Amino acid sequence: MRITPEPTMRRLPHYLHFLKRQLENGVEKISSTIIAQALSLDSTQVRKDLEYTGVKGKPKTGFFVKELIQAILEFLTWTTRRDAFLIGAGNLGSAMLGYNRFREYGLNFVAAFDTDENKIGSEIYKVPIFTLDKIPSMARRMNVQVGVLTVPAHAAQTATDLLVEGGIKAIWNFAPTYVKAPKEVVIENHQFTESLAALTRKMVEVDFHLEKYRLSNLEGNRT
Amino acid sequence: MRITPEPTMRRLPHYLHFLKRQLENGVEKISSTIIAQALSLDSTQVRKDLEYTGVKGKPKTGFFVKELIQAILEFLTWTTRRDAFLIGAGNLGSAMLGYNRFREYGLNFVAAFDTDENKIGSEIYKVPIFTLDKIPSMARRMNVQVGVLTVPAHAAQTATDLLVEGGIKAIWNFAPTYVKAPKEVVIENHQFTESLAALTRKMVEVDFHLEKYRLSNLEGNRT
DNA sequence: TAGATTGTTAATCGATTAACAATC
DNA sequence: TAGATTGTTAATCGATTAACAATC
């Protein structure tokens, strides 16, 4: 098993999204060129990415949309259910629990945990809320594989330790900080600041280049 | 003005986070080696990244933590306030409005918009909620630069068009779909599925390699 | 068949890492 | 001063893109 390049893993859900739309519109066959155009990519890159999923195309015909969707889903293991715990039932946590689409990708929240006594014992989107000390025993008993962290920065490491104690395999971390865990635990840090930094910096650079363009046009008009 | 490589832009907020923690602990000077170790990066890469911000270090001494923080903040233009509109005041939208930290990065929500009549006229975290048709005129009058999309997929393009009509400069899109806008508008797509795909695929690959490791150990014991 | 598209090898590009002189 | 660290040039690595034979 080759390890998959990170950029390829991150592009696959985009292909999936586009292919689902195509299927809805009755498209049955599709070429790498069409996919590439739709997502502003190179067609060779699309073929290389799809090759990782093991799907085969036919010269002249292209790929079958249904096969492609199935291949991507299986490659990402989104066809098998994965039970998950959510730690931190605040605004962001509630958003995660209420986002039905995650279930399409196999992610199934079976319990949430919070320190707020008013929330303990209640449910958010049918998911029951418990105190954090229940995490290790419940995780083992229910064979939960994924922990989603939507806690404040200061609570992230404690929550991680409890999840690790419960034998969790992966942590999807939305807390604005890093967490430490044994190396066999997969940690995916999802930092909003990363994309905000890219957004604000690009704004400055676009402004600058538009300005330069405007000035060079003035220059051109004068001569 | 060189354009900044995307990976550099995305690493800068991580440096910032670490440096702020260091400053809190009374650290005044720091070397690229220390930063690199803390973030599991190469020290040359750290120096190259920091060079983009224009900050200068001293051989033997390293960098002043305060200067570094200031340089990164200014490079990302996080020292100047940017007024923003939030479109879609659901769970995720409320999470964004309630997340005070964004203001530290210059992002200031001045109004939110939703189609739910029960929400119109009310406030979430002191941010007033309006109907979507108010977007263009209000955006122009208030000189709002950023639109944050936390709407369902089907509403994303309509919201984008209204923001563009209002002369917005950048769109931070959390809707699970792509949106089209004129090329001078900066669009930063923030897709949760990207990081979920990376998470689930890594889980399989780690599992596989751990298993292989276990098997090769058994093999070793037998011979 | 003729032509479009795949699968794959080779070339290019850009980012990361290594090496090291300059310097505090 | 001696030694650590910067700033920068060169080497490496990996991902993207180009080219093209195979093939349906």
Side-chain angles (χ1 to χ4, degrees), chain A residues 103-121:
Chain A
R103 201 163 290 119
E104 281 178 43
Y105 311 139
L107 200 71
N108 183 50
F109 289 107
V110 291
F113 301 84
D114 203 288
T115 49
D116 184 346
E117 285 187 16
N118 298 316
K119 289 177 183 164
I120 313 296

Side-chain angles (χ1 to χ4, degrees), chain A residues 186-221:
Chain A
V186 174
I187 298 183
E188 183 68 25
N189 290 299
H190 188 109
Q191 301 294 338
F192 290 93
T193 48
E194 274 188 21
S195 80
L196 183 61
L199 181 88
T200 54
R201 183 62 204 172
K202 280 177 197 166
M203 286 177 78
V204 189
E205 295 183 1
V206 163
D207 261 2
F208 182 83
H209 289 294
L210 285 178
E211 185 66 12
K212 198 177 64 179
Y213 179 73
R214 203 181 61 79
L215 287 174
S216 73
N217 274 5
L218 285 176
E219 195 78 20
N221 291 343

Side-chain angles (χ1 to χ4, degrees), chain A residues 4 14 91 125 178 190 205, chain B residues 4 14 91 125 178 190 205:
Chain A
T4 316
H14 294 287
N91 280 310
Y125 295 104
Y178 289 100
H190 188 109
E205 295 183 1
Chain B
T4 315
H14 295 287
N91 280 308
Y125 295 105
Y178 289 99
H190 189 110
E205 295 184 0

Side-chain angles (χ1 to χ4, degrees), chain A residues 125-182:
Chain A
Y125 295 104
K126 312 252 172 161
V127 178
I129 304 177
F130 303 92
T131 51
L132 267 72
D133 57 356
K134 298 277 199 306
I135 294 173
S137 58
M138 283 180 66
R140 292 217 176 266
R141 194 173 68 241
M142 302 171 84
N143 190 31
V144 170
Q145 294 187 55
V146 179
V148 179
L149 289 187
T150 47
V151 296
H154 66 84
Q157 191 57 55
T158 315
T160 301
D161 295 344
L162 290 166
L163 288 164
V164 168
E165 202 187 325
I168 215 97
K169 287 195 179 154
I171 290 171
W172 198 7
N173 176 32
F174 289 84
T177 187
Y178 289 100
V179 293
K180 288 195 191 82

Side-chain angles (χ1 to χ4, degrees), chain B residues 105-157:
Chain B
Y105 310 139
L107 199 70
N108 182 50
F109 290 108
V110 291
F113 301 84
D114 203 288
T115 50
D116 183 347
E117 285 187 17
N118 297 317
K119 288 178 184 164
I120 313 296
S122 71
E123 294 188 343
I124 297 180
Y125 295 105
K126 313 252 170 153
V127 179
I129 304 178
F130 303 92
T131 52
L132 268 71
D133 57 355
K134 298 277 199 306
I135 295 173
S137 59
M138 284 179 68
R140 290 216 177 268
R141 195 176 64 242
M142 302 171 84
N143 190 30
V144 170
Q145 293 189 54
V146 180
V148 179
L149 289 187
T150 48
V151 295
H154 66 83
Q157 190 57 55

